[in-house]
């Protein structure tokens, strides 16, 4: 069974640490956060090289309901 997690604030600090741990534990992780767009591919590549799970970037402004609906779709 595949396990999936969404980590908000996952592009830096504590959120990034949580995403890294979940990936090592085999979760597939959607990483949401504010990060310079040009750095996102490098960050996702780095995360995907570290664990058994797969990481993907899930951009959305958490204050915008329509953006959240799109992210979860």
């Amino acid at each position: 069974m595949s396990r999936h997690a969404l980590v908000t604030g996952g592009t830096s600090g504590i959120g990034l640490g949580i995403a890294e741990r979940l990936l090592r534990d085999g979760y597939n992780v959607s990483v949401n956060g504010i990060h310079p767009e040009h750095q996102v591919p490098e960050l996702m590549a780095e995360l995907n090289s570290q664990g058994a799970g797969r990481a993907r970037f899930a951009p959305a402004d958490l204050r915008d309901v329509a953006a959240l609906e799109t992210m979860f779709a």
Side-chain angles (χ1 to χ4, degrees):
M1 182 171 107
S2 177
R3 300 179 296 175
H4 194 94
L6 168 66
V7 179
T8 59
T11 59
S12 64
I14 293 170
L16 179 57
I18 291 169
E20 290 170 335
R21 176 57 190 254
L22 289 168
L23 287 163
R24 283 194 307 270
D25 288 347
Y27 281 76
N28 293 316
V29 179
S30 294
V31 177
N32 171 270
I34 298 171
H35 203 72
E37 193 170 314
H38 68 280
Q39 293 178 356
V40 169
E42 292 173 7
L43 177 61
M44 293 302 105
E46 181 181 331
L47 288 173
N48 281 316
S49 72
Q50 294 181 18
R54 300 299 302 160
R56 74 173 190 89
F57 187 60
D61 181 341
L62 300 182
R63 301 168 293 178
D64 181 348
V65 174
L68 287 171
E69 290 171 348
T70 300
M71 181 178 67
F72 280 104

